[in-house]
Amino acid sequence: MQTETDAHPESVNNRLADFLDSRKKAVLDEWLQRVRQDPPRNRSAPEVAISQRLSSLLDDLNATLRRPSSTWSADGITEDSGVDCSDGATGDGALCGMLCEIKHFRANLLYHLRTFEDLHPDYGMAAMLFVSTLVHRHLDDMMIEIAREHSQA
């Protein structure tokens, strides 16, 4: 059953969420490879925590795509990551690490968004601009919330 805040099942944003869900393993593997190749930048979280965080970030994005009026919170990201952002230098390294992960998330998503566009030319430019804006807004809100939480720690 669809509620007023749920995306229509055939909407571009819901279809993109389905597309990303169907390719979740590949998206996460590519993303983790990008993160691994980035200099550590004082990253204190173990790779298992990073993998879990990456999966959580993708799930959060898909939830936003399915419910565009929803809001995002950084609570789960820092709690699940094994990183304590309240700790001086480690906190700065953790913040840098999380922002670098989001940088790689954005780059990876742009590739998959472009692939989705090629597979769905029927949506047209306006629909693709809408979904692209939604993805970027979600990532920008995510970075702002993480930085805000870090500065309050």
Side-chain angles (χ1 to χ4, degrees), residues 40-45 53 78 81-100 146-153:
R41 302 200 180 155
N42 301 322
R43 189 175 290 130
S44 60
R53 183 164 56 237
T78 54
S81 67
V83 174
D84 181 4
C85 287
S86 65
D87 177 26
T90 303
D92 291 342
L95 176 62
C96 185
M98 285 187 279
L99 295 177
C100 286
I146 287 170
R148 181 179 295 129
E149 185 176 287
H150 175 77
S151 70
Q152 293 173 353

Side-chain angles (χ1 to χ4, degrees), residues 14-153:
N14 200 57
R15 296 293 285 290
L16 177 59
D18 290 344
F19 176 82
L20 293 173
D21 273 343
S22 72
R23 290 161 175 78
K24 185 174 183 175
K25 182 173 177 5
V27 170
L28 293 175
D29 288 347
E30 293 162 10
W31 186 12
L32 185 56
Q33 183 177 10
R34 285 176 180 261
V35 169
R36 281 184 191 140
Q37 292 172 349
D38 203 18
R41 302 200 180 155
N42 301 322
R43 189 175 290 130
S44 60
E47 192 166 300
V48 171
I50 292 171
S51 294
Q52 290 170 344
R53 183 164 56 237
L54 299 180
S55 181
S56 180
L57 289 172
L58 183 58
D59 291 344
D60 288 344
L61 173 64
N62 283 339
T64 297
L65 288 167
R66 293 183 195 289
R67 302 188 105 201
S69 63
S70 65
T71 57
W72 183 84
S73 168
D75 293 343
I77 299 305
T78 54
E79 288 171 9
D80 296 341
S81 67
V83 174
D84 181 4
C85 287
S86 65
D87 177 26
T90 303
D92 291 342
L95 176 62
C96 185
M98 285 187 279
L99 295 177
C100 286
E101 289 167 17
I102 294 169
K103 171 187 78 172
H104 294 299
F105 188 29
R106 186 182 307 264
N108 195 22
L109 283 174
L110 289 175
Y111 168 78
H112 288 281
L113 183 57
R114 182 69 182 118
T115 301
F116 178 80
E117 289 173 354
D118 287 345
L119 294 171
H120 297 91
D122 51 310
Y123 280 118
M125 188 180 354
M128 296 316 286
L129 181 58
F130 168 77
V131 77
S132 178
T133 300
L134 188 61
V135 167
H136 286 291
R137 185 195 74 193
H138 178 81
L139 295 174
D140 292 343
D141 288 348
M142 185 184 298
M143 290 188 304
I144 291 165
E145 187 62 29
I146 287 170
R148 181 179 295 129
E149 185 176 287
H150 175 77
S151 70
Q152 293 173 353

